[in-house]
Short mmCIF file of all heavy atoms in Angstrom, two decimals:
data_model
loop_
_atom_site.label_atom_id
_atom_site.label_comp_id
_atom_site.label_asym_id
_atom_site.label_seq_id
_atom_site.Cartn_x
_atom_site.Cartn_y
_atom_site.Cartn_z
N MET A 1 107.60 151.12 90.34
CA MET A 1 108.38 150.57 89.19
C MET A 1 109.79 150.55 89.60
O MET A 1 110.23 151.35 90.29
CB MET A 1 108.15 151.46 88.03
CG MET A 1 108.69 150.87 86.70
SD MET A 1 107.72 149.40 86.29
CE MET A 1 108.79 148.55 85.15
N ALA A 2 110.51 149.53 89.13
CA ALA A 2 111.85 149.36 89.49
C ALA A 2 112.75 149.03 88.25
O ALA A 2 112.19 148.71 87.20
CB ALA A 2 112.05 148.13 90.50
N VAL A 3 114.04 149.34 88.31
CA VAL A 3 114.91 149.17 87.28
C VAL A 3 116.12 148.57 87.88
O VAL A 3 116.71 148.90 88.93
CB VAL A 3 115.17 150.45 86.47
CG1 VAL A 3 115.79 151.62 87.31
CG2 VAL A 3 115.94 150.21 85.22
N LYS A 4 116.58 147.54 87.18
CA LYS A 4 117.68 146.76 87.63
C LYS A 4 119.06 147.07 86.92
O LYS A 4 118.95 147.12 85.63
CB LYS A 4 117.39 145.32 87.47
CG LYS A 4 118.40 144.29 88.02
CD LYS A 4 117.89 142.92 88.01
CE LYS A 4 118.68 141.94 88.62
NZ LYS A 4 118.08 140.47 88.60
N HIS A 5 119.94 147.24 87.66
CA HIS A 5 121.42 147.36 87.10
C HIS A 5 122.12 146.11 86.90
O HIS A 5 122.42 145.49 87.92
CB HIS A 5 122.17 148.42 88.00
CG HIS A 5 123.50 148.86 87.46
ND1 HIS A 5 124.67 148.62 88.10
CD2 HIS A 5 123.89 149.37 86.24
CE1 HIS A 5 125.68 149.15 87.35
NE2 HIS A 5 125.24 149.66 86.21
N THR A 6 122.16 145.46 85.78
CA THR A 6 122.56 144.16 85.60
C THR A 6 123.93 143.87 86.04
O THR A 6 124.18 142.72 86.50
CB THR A 6 122.27 143.65 84.22
OG1 THR A 6 122.93 144.52 83.23
CG2 THR A 6 120.81 143.62 83.89
N PRO A 7 124.95 144.84 85.82
CA PRO A 7 126.32 144.37 86.46
C PRO A 7 126.46 144.09 87.78
O PRO A 7 127.23 143.39 88.24
CB PRO A 7 127.17 145.57 85.89
CG PRO A 7 126.44 146.16 84.73
CD PRO A 7 124.96 145.93 85.19
N THR A 8 125.55 144.78 88.54
CA THR A 8 125.67 144.69 90.11
C THR A 8 124.46 143.90 90.64
O THR A 8 124.41 143.53 91.81
CB THR A 8 125.63 146.06 90.68
OG1 THR A 8 124.57 146.83 90.35
CG2 THR A 8 126.88 146.93 90.32
N ASN A 9 123.42 143.60 89.80
CA ASN A 9 122.17 143.05 90.26
C ASN A 9 121.49 143.90 91.21
O ASN A 9 120.67 143.45 92.10
CB ASN A 9 122.43 141.61 90.86
CG ASN A 9 122.43 140.64 89.71
OD1 ASN A 9 121.88 140.87 88.70
ND2 ASN A 9 123.17 139.48 89.88
N GLU A 10 121.74 145.16 91.26
CA GLU A 10 121.11 146.05 92.32
C GLU A 10 119.80 146.62 91.56
O GLU A 10 119.94 147.01 90.45
CB GLU A 10 122.02 147.23 92.65
CG GLU A 10 121.53 147.98 93.80
CD GLU A 10 122.66 148.87 94.47
OE1 GLU A 10 123.35 149.63 93.70
OE2 GLU A 10 122.94 148.79 95.67
N VAL A 11 118.72 146.61 92.33
CA VAL A 11 117.48 147.08 91.87
C VAL A 11 117.27 148.52 92.51
O VAL A 11 117.21 148.57 93.72
CB VAL A 11 116.33 146.07 92.24
CG1 VAL A 11 114.99 146.53 91.68
CG2 VAL A 11 116.78 144.66 91.69
N HIS A 12 116.90 149.45 91.60
CA HIS A 12 116.70 150.76 92.06
C HIS A 12 115.38 151.17 91.69
O HIS A 12 114.57 150.64 90.77
CB HIS A 12 117.62 151.69 91.15
CG HIS A 12 119.10 151.50 91.32
ND1 HIS A 12 119.73 152.31 92.21
CD2 HIS A 12 119.94 150.60 90.75
CE1 HIS A 12 121.03 151.85 92.17
NE2 HIS A 12 121.08 150.80 91.27
N SER A 13 114.77 152.17 92.28
CA SER A 13 113.53 152.84 91.97
C SER A 13 113.72 153.47 90.55
O SER A 13 114.76 154.21 90.45
CB SER A 13 113.21 153.90 93.08
OG SER A 13 112.02 154.59 92.56
N GLY A 14 112.71 153.52 89.67
CA GLY A 14 112.73 154.12 88.47
C GLY A 14 112.37 153.25 87.31
O GLY A 14 111.92 152.14 87.45
N THR A 15 112.55 153.87 86.11
CA THR A 15 112.21 153.08 84.97
C THR A 15 113.49 153.21 83.90
O THR A 15 114.15 154.27 83.90
CB THR A 15 111.07 153.51 84.24
OG1 THR A 15 111.05 154.83 83.94
CG2 THR A 15 109.79 153.18 85.13
N LYS A 16 113.56 152.19 83.08
CA LYS A 16 114.70 152.26 82.10
C LYS A 16 114.22 153.52 81.14
O LYS A 16 113.12 153.64 80.70
CB LYS A 16 114.61 151.00 81.31
CG LYS A 16 115.66 150.91 80.18
CD LYS A 16 115.58 149.50 79.57
CE LYS A 16 116.41 149.47 78.36
NZ LYS A 16 117.94 149.73 78.52
N GLY A 17 115.33 154.25 80.82
CA GLY A 17 115.17 155.44 79.94
C GLY A 17 115.02 156.79 80.80
O GLY A 17 115.15 157.88 80.21
N GLY A 18 114.93 156.54 82.08
CA GLY A 18 114.91 157.81 82.96
C GLY A 18 115.98 157.67 84.03
O GLY A 18 117.03 156.88 83.75
N LYS A 19 115.84 158.44 85.02
CA LYS A 19 116.81 158.41 86.17
C LYS A 19 116.34 157.58 87.25
O LYS A 19 115.04 157.42 87.47
CB LYS A 19 117.02 159.79 86.68
CG LYS A 19 118.01 160.64 85.79
CD LYS A 19 118.59 161.86 86.44
CE LYS A 19 119.57 162.53 85.52
NZ LYS A 19 120.18 163.63 86.17
N THR A 20 117.21 156.90 87.98
CA THR A 20 116.85 156.16 89.23
C THR A 20 116.52 157.01 90.26
O THR A 20 116.81 158.31 90.19
CB THR A 20 117.90 155.16 89.62
OG1 THR A 20 119.09 156.02 90.10
CG2 THR A 20 118.41 154.24 88.53
N GLY A 21 115.89 156.60 91.26
CA GLY A 21 115.51 157.41 92.53
C GLY A 21 116.80 158.03 93.05
O GLY A 21 116.71 159.18 93.58
N CYS A 22 117.88 157.41 93.07
CA CYS A 22 119.14 157.90 93.66
C CYS A 22 120.01 158.70 92.63
O CYS A 22 121.05 159.19 93.04
CB CYS A 22 119.93 156.67 94.22
SG CYS A 22 120.39 155.47 93.07
N GLY A 23 119.52 158.84 91.47
CA GLY A 23 120.16 159.81 90.56
C GLY A 23 120.86 159.28 89.33
O GLY A 23 121.56 160.02 88.62
N PHE A 24 121.03 157.89 89.31
CA PHE A 24 121.77 157.34 88.10
C PHE A 24 121.01 157.53 86.86
O PHE A 24 119.67 157.55 86.94
CB PHE A 24 122.03 155.86 88.20
CG PHE A 24 123.03 155.56 89.23
CD1 PHE A 24 122.73 154.73 90.40
CD2 PHE A 24 124.32 155.84 88.94
CE1 PHE A 24 123.69 154.46 91.21
CE2 PHE A 24 125.34 155.46 89.81
CZ PHE A 24 125.02 154.83 90.93
N ASP A 25 121.59 157.94 85.75
CA ASP A 25 120.87 158.12 84.53
C ASP A 25 121.07 156.82 83.65
O ASP A 25 122.12 156.46 83.31
CB ASP A 25 121.48 159.32 83.55
CG ASP A 25 120.76 159.68 82.38
OD1 ASP A 25 119.94 158.93 81.97
OD2 ASP A 25 121.04 160.83 81.92
N THR A 26 119.89 156.23 83.43
CA THR A 26 119.82 154.85 82.79
C THR A 26 120.15 155.03 81.28
O THR A 26 120.28 153.89 80.60
CB THR A 26 118.52 154.24 82.93
OG1 THR A 26 117.52 154.86 82.32
CG2 THR A 26 118.20 153.96 84.46
N LYS A 27 120.27 156.17 80.77
CA LYS A 27 120.63 156.34 79.42
C LYS A 27 122.18 156.35 79.17
O LYS A 27 122.61 156.25 77.97
CB LYS A 27 119.91 157.65 78.79
CG LYS A 27 118.39 157.59 78.75
CD LYS A 27 117.87 158.75 78.02
CE LYS A 27 118.08 160.07 78.83
NZ LYS A 27 116.87 160.52 79.43
N ASP A 28 122.92 156.47 80.23
CA ASP A 28 124.22 156.44 80.12
C ASP A 28 124.83 155.26 79.67
O ASP A 28 125.66 155.07 78.72
CB ASP A 28 125.02 156.74 81.39
CG ASP A 28 125.14 158.26 81.72
OD1 ASP A 28 124.62 159.07 80.97
OD2 ASP A 28 125.43 158.72 82.89
N HIS A 29 124.33 154.06 80.11
CA HIS A 29 124.74 152.68 79.70
C HIS A 29 123.45 151.95 79.60
O HIS A 29 123.07 150.97 80.43
CB HIS A 29 125.64 152.03 80.76
CG HIS A 29 127.01 152.76 80.83
ND1 HIS A 29 127.94 152.57 79.76
CD2 HIS A 29 127.48 153.61 81.75
CE1 HIS A 29 129.00 153.33 80.20
NE2 HIS A 29 128.83 153.99 81.30
N PRO A 30 122.59 152.17 78.54
CA PRO A 30 121.29 151.52 78.57
C PRO A 30 121.31 150.00 78.61
O PRO A 30 120.43 149.39 79.04
CB PRO A 30 120.77 152.03 77.27
CG PRO A 30 121.76 152.67 76.49
CD PRO A 30 122.81 153.03 77.51
N GLU A 31 122.44 149.33 78.12
CA GLU A 31 122.54 147.98 78.11
C GLU A 31 122.79 147.43 79.45
O GLU A 31 122.61 146.17 79.64
CB GLU A 31 123.70 147.51 77.22
CG GLU A 31 125.11 147.80 77.76
CD GLU A 31 125.61 149.28 77.46
OE1 GLU A 31 124.81 150.22 77.09
OE2 GLU A 31 126.81 149.46 77.55
N HIS A 32 122.97 148.31 80.46
CA HIS A 32 123.08 147.81 81.85
C HIS A 32 121.83 147.77 82.59
O HIS A 32 121.85 147.33 83.85
CB HIS A 32 124.16 148.63 82.59
CG HIS A 32 125.54 148.46 82.19
ND1 HIS A 32 126.55 149.24 82.62
CD2 HIS A 32 126.09 147.66 81.23
CE1 HIS A 32 127.65 148.85 82.04
NE2 HIS A 32 127.47 147.89 81.23
N TRP A 33 120.69 148.32 82.05
CA TRP A 33 119.54 148.48 82.85
C TRP A 33 118.39 147.77 82.24
O TRP A 33 118.09 147.81 80.93
CB TRP A 33 119.20 149.96 82.83
CG TRP A 33 120.25 150.83 83.54
CD1 TRP A 33 121.34 151.46 82.90
CD2 TRP A 33 120.40 151.12 84.97
NE1 TRP A 33 121.99 152.25 83.78
CE2 TRP A 33 121.49 151.92 85.08
CE3 TRP A 33 119.60 150.68 86.02
CZ2 TRP A 33 121.95 152.35 86.33
CZ3 TRP A 33 120.11 151.14 87.26
CH2 TRP A 33 121.18 151.94 87.34
N VAL A 34 117.64 147.16 83.01
CA VAL A 34 116.26 146.47 82.58
C VAL A 34 115.20 146.84 83.49
O VAL A 34 115.39 146.80 84.77
CB VAL A 34 116.40 144.86 82.49
CG1 VAL A 34 117.42 144.63 81.37
CG2 VAL A 34 116.91 144.31 83.80
N ASN A 35 114.12 147.01 83.05
CA ASN A 35 112.88 147.17 83.93
C ASN A 35 112.71 145.90 84.79
O ASN A 35 112.87 144.80 84.20
CB ASN A 35 111.60 147.47 83.03
CG ASN A 35 111.55 148.94 82.52
OD1 ASN A 35 112.09 149.71 83.36
ND2 ASN A 35 111.10 149.16 81.38
N SER A 36 112.21 146.13 85.91
CA SER A 36 112.10 145.03 86.88
C SER A 36 110.88 145.08 87.74
O SER A 36 110.56 146.27 88.01
CB SER A 36 113.33 144.90 87.56
OG SER A 36 113.34 143.95 88.78
N HIS A 37 110.44 143.99 88.24
CA HIS A 37 109.36 144.06 89.30
C HIS A 37 109.95 143.52 90.55
O HIS A 37 109.27 143.22 91.51
CB HIS A 37 108.13 143.29 88.80
CG HIS A 37 107.45 144.05 87.73
ND1 HIS A 37 106.71 145.08 87.97
CD2 HIS A 37 107.45 143.73 86.34
CE1 HIS A 37 106.14 145.50 86.73
NE2 HIS A 37 106.51 144.63 85.89
N GLU A 38 111.27 143.42 90.68
CA GLU A 38 111.89 142.85 91.79
C GLU A 38 111.80 143.98 93.10
O GLU A 38 111.69 145.18 92.72
CB GLU A 38 113.29 142.39 91.53
CG GLU A 38 113.35 141.23 90.64
CD GLU A 38 114.73 140.98 90.41
OE1 GLU A 38 115.51 140.52 91.23
OE2 GLU A 38 115.20 141.13 89.26
N ARG A 39 111.95 143.50 94.24
CA ARG A 39 112.13 144.39 95.37
C ARG A 39 113.37 145.24 95.21
O ARG A 39 114.43 144.87 94.84
CB ARG A 39 112.17 143.53 96.56
CG ARG A 39 112.20 144.27 97.86
CD ARG A 39 112.55 143.27 98.98
NE ARG A 39 112.99 144.04 100.20
CZ ARG A 39 112.17 144.33 101.17
NH1 ARG A 39 110.99 143.92 101.29
NH2 ARG A 39 112.61 145.10 102.22
N ILE A 40 113.19 146.57 95.47
CA ILE A 40 114.26 147.49 95.36
C ILE A 40 115.30 147.18 96.47
O ILE A 40 115.12 146.98 97.69
CB ILE A 40 113.77 148.88 95.56
CG1 ILE A 40 113.02 149.34 94.34
CG2 ILE A 40 114.96 149.99 95.76
CD1 ILE A 40 112.19 150.55 94.50
N THR A 41 116.60 146.97 96.06
CA THR A 41 117.64 146.63 96.97
C THR A 41 118.68 147.79 97.16
O THR A 41 119.41 147.77 98.11
CB THR A 41 118.46 145.42 96.30
OG1 THR A 41 119.01 145.73 95.06
CG2 THR A 41 117.68 144.15 96.27
N CYS A 42 118.55 148.88 96.33
CA CYS A 42 119.39 150.02 96.60
C CYS A 42 119.08 150.62 97.96
O CYS A 42 117.89 150.92 98.02
CB CYS A 42 119.25 150.95 95.43
SG CYS A 42 120.26 152.61 95.53
N ASP A 43 120.04 151.10 98.67
CA ASP A 43 119.75 151.71 99.93
C ASP A 43 120.12 153.17 99.92
O ASP A 43 120.08 153.80 101.08
CB ASP A 43 120.43 150.99 101.04
CG ASP A 43 121.96 151.03 100.93
OD1 ASP A 43 122.53 151.66 100.01
OD2 ASP A 43 122.64 150.38 101.75
N LYS A 44 120.17 153.79 98.74
CA LYS A 44 120.59 155.28 98.64
C LYS A 44 119.21 155.97 98.80
O LYS A 44 118.14 155.52 98.46
CB LYS A 44 121.28 155.49 97.34
CG LYS A 44 122.53 154.94 97.29
CD LYS A 44 123.29 155.43 96.03
CE LYS A 44 124.64 154.62 95.93
NZ LYS A 44 124.43 153.36 95.25
N ASN A 45 119.38 157.20 99.25
CA ASN A 45 118.17 158.13 99.24
C ASN A 45 117.59 158.23 97.97
O ASN A 45 118.26 158.36 96.92
CB ASN A 45 118.56 159.51 99.82
CG ASN A 45 118.90 159.59 101.23
OD1 ASN A 45 118.44 158.64 101.98
ND2 ASN A 45 119.67 160.63 101.68
N GLY A 46 116.25 158.20 97.94
CA GLY A 46 115.53 158.23 96.67
C GLY A 46 115.09 157.01 96.08
O GLY A 46 114.08 156.95 95.32
N CYS A 47 115.88 155.93 96.41
CA CYS A 47 115.39 154.59 96.06
C CYS A 47 114.77 153.85 97.23
O CYS A 47 113.68 153.38 97.09
CB CYS A 47 116.65 153.71 95.61
SG CYS A 47 117.04 154.10 93.89
N LYS A 48 115.46 153.89 98.30
CA LYS A 48 115.02 153.10 99.45
C LYS A 48 113.78 153.59 100.00
O LYS A 48 112.84 152.88 100.49
CB LYS A 48 116.11 153.17 100.54
CG LYS A 48 115.78 152.20 101.77
CD LYS A 48 116.82 152.30 102.77
CE LYS A 48 116.58 151.42 103.87
NZ LYS A 48 117.67 151.32 104.86
N ASN A 49 113.56 154.97 99.97
CA ASN A 49 112.44 155.61 100.63
C ASN A 49 111.11 155.39 99.76
O ASN A 49 110.06 155.99 100.17
CB ASN A 49 112.64 156.97 100.86
CG ASN A 49 113.80 157.17 101.77
OD1 ASN A 49 114.18 156.29 102.48
ND2 ASN A 49 114.54 158.36 101.78
N GLU A 50 111.06 154.87 98.53
CA GLU A 50 109.86 154.85 97.77
C GLU A 50 109.19 153.48 97.98
O GLU A 50 109.83 152.54 98.22
CB GLU A 50 110.28 155.09 96.25
CG GLU A 50 110.67 156.57 96.13
CD GLU A 50 110.50 156.93 94.65
OE1 GLU A 50 109.55 156.41 94.00
OE2 GLU A 50 111.23 157.80 94.30
ZN1 LIG B 101 119.28 153.62 93.58
#
């Protein structure tokens, strides 16, 4: 499962309402995050490795 950060178009591992693989909390700015099936583009630890 992936979650997209719409201001940057970066796709992270995780789901909306939880934390991304790299540690962002999607509840901080819920309007910035949407569930996605796109390929993960984040290259930080925890996202890239999944
Ligand atoms: Zn990430």
Side-chain angles (χ1 to χ4, degrees):
M1 193 68 197
V3 62
K4 185 175 188 173
H5 186 234
T6 56
T8 60
N9 277 332
E10 193 163 50
V11 183
H12 300 261
S13 171
T15 56
K16 185 173 169 62
K19 284 197 173 182
T20 67
C22 60
F24 286 115
D25 189 341
T26 67
K27 291 188 292 254
D28 277 357
H29 295 283
E31 71 276 20
H32 289 175
W33 299 94
V34 291
N35 284 322
S36 170
H37 293 286
E38 292 175 67
R39 185 187 159 99
I40 291 166
T41 57
C42 176
D43 62 2
K44 296 186 187 74
N45 283 342
C47 282
K48 187 179 185 177
N49 297 338
E50 290 202 32

